[in-house]
Amino acid sequence: MRALRILLIVVVILGGLFVIADRVAVNFAEGEAADKLRTTENLATTPDVSIKGFPFLTQAAGGELDDVEVGIEGYEASTGTGDDTIRIDGLKAEMRNVTFSGDFSSATAATATGTATLGYDTLLKAAKSEPTQVGPGVTARIVGLSDGGNGKLKVEIDATVLGAKLPRTVSVLSSAAVVDGDTVTVHADSLPDFGVDLAETRIRSITDFQQTIDGLPGGIRLDKVQAAQDGVRISVQGSNVRLAG
């Protein structure tokens, strides 16, 4: 019995040491991965990297991690126009089946899914915020974007008819969609009433617009989009996503 008790104590101690060693190793690996990702993606701040699953050491020995979560605040994505960028907030991605090189200099995820937010003030820059002529004596511009409920955007428009501003701001509900995996489009569900007859194409030249969002980390792409309280909520996904190297 005494020998059994000693054996159990040794097992518990060794198990505790293994857990400690495993957590130290995973914390070190998360820090190294975060620094590498900051460098390769030229990020302004260090991202959050969380390696899920236990134990980490056995996963590392096999050269593949089951689940890695990455969080990036204030990512500057490409707009596809020169050096212009657009700020993406709260980018979070869950990477599955991540394989890596022996020196951890490169890593690739078989699949990735996640979310990000495009603020309304940021998206407004893609809209016609300067007065634009939409018909004889009629000019209009978008002055605000907000959550219209049920995944719709509320688009607020100021219009001037024959030099006189309409007595109120006209608003329409619009649908947002993703096109070609890199472009957010906004399309009015119905047309605003400016009090004069105008061609639909002329009105939509104001109400409808789009914003390209390209160059996301690892080549992940836009999947779905809908309006939310704090901005346009974007779902992203990808396969064979390269995290580093």
Side-chain angles (χ1 to χ4, degrees):
M1 290 298 295
R2 184 170 179 271
L4 180 57
R5 285 197 298 270
I6 293 175
L7 178 60
L8 290 175
I9 292 172
V10 170
V11 169
V12 170
I13 292 174
L14 291 177
L17 291 175
F18 176 79
V19 171
I20 293 172
D22 191 81
R23 294 302 89 190
V24 169
V26 76
N27 288 337
F28 175 79
E30 289 171 345
E32 290 293 304
D35 290 340
K36 182 67 175 179
L37 187 58
R38 177 176 182 175
T39 300
T40 56
E41 296 293 340
N42 194 28
L43 303 177
T45 59
T46 302
D48 292 326
V49 176
S50 179
I51 299 174
K52 304 298 183 179
F54 178 83
F56 163 72
L57 291 174
T58 56
Q59 294 183 71
E64 181 175 314
L65 303 176
D66 296 334
D67 186 357
V68 178
E69 292 183 358
V70 177
I72 303 175
E73 287 295 335
Y75 184 81
E76 297 293 333
S78 170
T79 62
T81 304
D83 295 328
D84 292 344
T85 60
I86 185 168
R87 180 185 173 92
I88 305 299
D89 293 316
L91 176 59
K92 296 181 180 179
E94 184 174 15
M95 313 292 184
R96 294 285 189 176
N97 303 118
V98 180
T99 57
F100 51 88
S101 60
D103 59 358
F104 297 98
S105 61
S106 65
T108 302
T111 61
T113 57
T115 59
T117 300
L118 178 61
Y120 288 121
D121 289 344
T122 300
L123 183 59
L124 184 61
K125 297 176 183 178
K128 294 289 183 63
S129 56
E130 295 296 326
T132 300
Q133 186 169 356
V134 293
V138 182
T139 59
R141 66 189 183 103
I142 294 178
V143 295
L145 300 174
S146 59
D147 182 13
N150 296 320
K152 303 288 186 177
L153 280 82
K154 181 181 178 182
V155 180
E156 298 178 325
I157 304 166
D158 273 355
T160 300
V161 179
L162 298 177
K165 183 179 180 300
L166 294 183
R168 60 183 176 83
T169 297
V170 179
S171 64
V172 296
L173 291 179
S174 299
S175 299
V178 171
V179 177
D180 297 330
D182 65 0
T183 303
V184 174
T185 64
V186 177
H187 180 83
D189 294 349
S190 60
L191 299 179
D193 182 8
F194 294 144
V196 293
D197 290 332
L198 298 172
E200 179 176 344
T201 55
R202 300 297 296 272
I203 299 177
R204 288 198 178 278
S205 70
I206 293 293
T207 61
D208 297 4
F209 58 94
Q210 64 182 36
Q211 175 64 65
T212 297
I213 302 174
D214 201 3
L216 294 177
I220 57 177
R221 306 272 283 171
L222 309 183
D223 182 30
K224 298 177 182 177
V225 61
Q226 67 175 11
Q229 185 174 2
D230 55 348
V232 177
R233 193 67 50 80
I234 301 170
S235 298
V236 299
Q237 68 174 2
S239 57
N240 296 321
V241 176
R242 196 168 184 82
L243 301 176

